[in-house]
Amino acid sequence: MDPPPGLESSEPVTTTQSEPRSNELPEAPEIHENGSTPSPYQHSHHFDTYHFVRYLETNGEFKRAQSEVLMKGIRGLLTQNMQMARKNLVSRSYIENESYLFQAACSELRNEMQNTKKLQVDQLRTERTRIQMEYDLLNQRFLAEIMSLKDELNGMFNDRKMVTRAEQRAMENKIQELNYKITILINSDLKSEIEKLRWTTTRRGLIAILALALVIVASIRINGNEKEVKKKKKKEQSINHQEQMHHDHGAEHVPMLETAESAANFVSLG
């Protein structure tokens, strides 16, 4: 069974006025998608009571009195609900008024916020310019102090360099004096040592020369003594031999003895 017309939606039903047909009843209403049904009368109802009753009689198998009772009950419920809705809900004019007031308040608030924003921006700009000026002044002071400190530091560095150079020169002079003294001491010590070594070497050389001379003289004397001894032995041997030969041969060997003596004399002279 399809739902009765006019109960699918609580929206008001708009009807259009048309001329009724003579001696004919109106046909069953057509149900649209929004739940409204066309009516031959131009009145605003919550639902079409006549078509609703006809629908109940034809499709619901209700009697005329039952259909009217159901229609009246539904109409009473709708009237009660509409009264409650009028009490609890607001009208379109009230909403429009409130929306207008809200838009006016929003525009006023927007204007006030824009003005406040402009004032704040102006204040921030002035504050920024003031801070920029203070920053520039502080920067200039800082740069001036830095330059003065730089000059003072350069002067201090130059003074320290001069003092350091003077100290270096003094140290170099002291080092040169010490080197000169050390050189003199070393040279004097070396000279004394060299003289000592010279006298020692000369003394040792003289001693060696004297020893060599004594050895040479001693060797010469020893050689001379040996030669003389040999000569004496030879002479004695020759004499003994000559005597023996003289005894053996007699007068024949006298010239030979003379020759032997002459030879011995020649050897001694040599």
Side-chain angles (χ1 to χ4, degrees), residues 81-194:
N81 290 327
M82 287 300 295
Q83 290 177 359
M84 291 176 66
R86 287 191 184 94
K87 290 179 181 179
N88 295 324
L89 300 177
V90 294
S91 63
R92 183 179 294 176
S93 61
Y94 180 79
I95 291 171
E96 290 177 355
N97 190 15
E98 291 294 328
S99 63
Y100 174 76
L101 293 175
F102 180 74
Q103 290 177 0
C106 288
S107 62
E108 185 178 358
L109 181 62
R110 188 184 299 109
N111 294 326
E112 186 177 357
M113 288 178 68
Q114 289 178 356
N115 294 326
T116 306
K117 186 177 180 180
K118 288 180 181 179
L119 291 173
Q120 290 179 355
V121 168
D122 294 334
Q123 290 177 359
L124 289 173
R125 285 178 180 174
T126 54
E127 188 71 18
R128 185 177 65 81
T129 54
R130 185 179 63 79
I131 292 170
Q132 185 68 32
M133 291 174 66
E134 291 180 355
Y135 173 77
D136 293 335
L137 292 173
L138 290 173
N139 192 13
Q140 290 177 1
R141 291 180 183 175
F142 181 71
L143 292 174
E145 290 179 357
I146 287 174
M147 293 300 292
S148 63
L149 289 172
K150 187 176 180 180
D151 295 333
E152 290 179 359
L153 288 172
N154 288 325
M156 292 172 67
F157 281 129
N158 292 325
D159 295 336
R160 185 61 185 170
K161 284 180 182 179
M162 292 175 67
V163 172
T164 305
R165 287 178 182 176
E167 291 178 354
Q168 287 179 355
R169 289 177 182 174
M171 291 294 293
E172 288 177 356
N173 293 326
K174 289 181 180 179
I175 290 167
Q176 288 178 0
E177 290 178 358
L178 289 172
N179 289 327
Y180 181 70
K181 290 179 181 179
I182 291 166
T183 305
I184 291 170
L185 291 172
I186 291 170
N187 289 327
S188 62
D189 293 335
L190 288 174
K191 285 181 180 179
S192 62
E193 292 292 330
I194 289 166

Side-chain angles (χ1 to χ4, degrees), residues 193-211:
E193 292 292 330
I194 289 166
E195 291 295 330
K196 288 180 181 179
L197 290 172
R198 186 182 293 173
W199 282 108
T200 303
T201 52
T202 52
R203 188 184 298 169
R204 290 177 181 176
L206 291 173
I207 292 168
I209 291 167
L210 290 173

Side-chain angles (χ1 to χ4, degrees), residues 13 21 32 42 76 103 122 152-153 161 188 220 227 233 239:
V13 178
R21 297 177 183 177
H32 298 286
Q42 186 67 29
Q103 290 177 0
D122 294 334
E152 290 179 359
L153 288 172
K161 284 180 182 179
S188 62
I220 290 169
K227 287 180 180 180
K233 286 181 179 181
I239 291 168

Side-chain angles (χ1 to χ4, degrees), residues 26-92:
E27 295 180 356
E30 296 180 359
I31 301 171
H32 298 286
E33 292 179 357
N34 58 0
S36 62
T37 56
S39 177
Y41 302 102
Q42 186 67 29
H43 294 289
S44 179
H45 298 283
H46 301 298
F47 70 98
D48 194 349
T49 57
Y50 176 74
H51 287 92
F52 182 73
V53 171
R54 290 291 302 275
Y55 179 79
L56 291 176
E57 286 178 355
T58 56
N59 295 327
E61 296 181 356
F62 289 99
K63 295 181 179 181
R64 180 77 177 183
Q66 293 176 351
S67 300
E68 289 179 357
V69 170
L70 290 173
M71 181 269 296
K72 288 178 180 179
I74 292 170
R75 186 178 62 183
L77 290 172
L78 288 173
T79 303
Q80 185 179 359
N81 290 327
M82 287 300 295
Q83 290 177 359
M84 291 176 66
R86 287 191 184 94
K87 290 179 181 179
N88 295 324
L89 300 177
V90 294
S91 63
R92 183 179 294 176

